[in-house]
Amino acid sequence: MTDDIPEVRTKHPYLMYEMLKETPKALKTTLKNVIDEEIDFRRGSVTVTGNGTSYHAGVLGFQSISDENKPWNHIQSYELENYKTPGNNIVAFSHTGKTYSTVQSIRKYPEKFSVGVTHDQNSSLAQISSKSIVIQEKDKSLCNTKAFFDNSLASLIIANKYEKSKYDYEGFISMIDKNLMRADIEMNSIVKEIGKVKNIFVLGAGNNFIAARETAQKLKEATHIHSEGIELEEYNHGCTSVTNKDTLLINICNREDTSRVKQINRGIKYVGAKSIGIGGPGDFEIELDVRNSFELPIQAITYTYFFAYHLAVKLGINPDILRFDEKDYYDFDMEIFPEGQH
Ligand SMILES: N[C@@H]1[C@@H](O)[C@H](O)[C@@H](COP(=O)(O)O)O[C@@H]1O
């Protein structure tokens, strides 16, 4: 089973909303928990790994590394377990700490130095990692939005320890806090105006690609609308033929992408699709107060999470339970994750 099914609510505010509102407080706890941890990285590179939201959070934090002499890469855990080889250090992220391929990707390489970041100190990941980091904050919704921000901050801290660089964590937390408040209001009003949406593409280039993937994952989990997170230019190579009047494009935009995004936005008008620009142009635009290119995708997610939430509420969908109240979907999950597995 993916995880224990939480308290089932039938209307707003769902647990996902509560968790988003609790995020700034949780980030302060995470900072306190993680900042003094000592991590003795071995010589050589770092491989960041995990599944889904945890994987994305891990990558987003490590994207802060600017020193070319501090090599790192990221490999999804199943790939690491079966096909690829990690660097001398592995940093694995898992909210539950029990996700099979994440745990296996550490177990398979006992000779490497591993850091396991989890919210459960009794989990396999915490037990088997050379160094375990436990975030003392529970995310009650299976959408794991609060856990995403906790893990992103933990990843930023770990990346800074690896790079031996300094960073303004308090400033980061207050920026996220401010964004979350604005995002709730602005995304609620966009959702009211947006009209029918049956499929969604989330586009992002550079550091924003992983945020596009994470946004698409959350849109699927919360709203049950099919969403695809795709590299900005890749969208133009195949996705245009399935874009139509019920399609929404969410563009997570660096300044450098502006003219390409404008062109795409003009193109989609021929088939009646609509767009939201986060940090860039769109039918609906969200301005971001951007301090640097690695914070931008994390800031963008404050908005896309609230968009997913308000859209779920509008559609009458409980975003907390991954459809596990429907027998077919519960059985589906039990088939792919039998008792005790994830
Ligand atoms: N639906 C959940 C995702 O929301 C989560 O991101 C992923 C990784 O879980 P964990 O962070 O516990 O490893 O597992 C799932 O299948």
Side-chain angles (χ1 to χ4, degrees), residues 179-206:
N179 276 341
L180 285 166
M181 279 188 286
R182 275 184 51 195
D184 185 12
I185 298 162
E186 292 181 32
M187 287 315 202
N188 194 12
S189 85
I190 290 177
V191 163
K192 282 187 181 134
E193 286 179 50
I194 199 118
K196 206 196 291 166
V197 176
K198 283 194 179 160
N199 70 327
I200 304 175
F201 290 101
V202 191
L203 279 53

Side-chain angles (χ1 to χ4, degrees), residues 171 192 218 230 233:
K192 282 187 181 134
K218 218 46 67 196
I230 191 158
E233 194 56 30

Side-chain angles (χ1 to χ4, degrees), residues 113-130:
F113 177 73
S114 58
V115 182
V117 184
T118 176
H119 287 64
D120 182 354
Q121 62 183 4
N122 301 315
S123 63
S124 307
L125 185 64
Q127 308 296 320
I128 65 166
S129 301
S130 325

Side-chain angles (χ1 to χ4, degrees), residues 315-330:
L315 298 170
I317 291 169
N318 180 340
D320 298 329
I321 52 176
L322 307 175
R323 274 184 118 142
F324 294 156
D325 53 340
E326 296 172 52
K327 186 178 179 307
D328 291 349
Y329 285 91
Y330 181 84

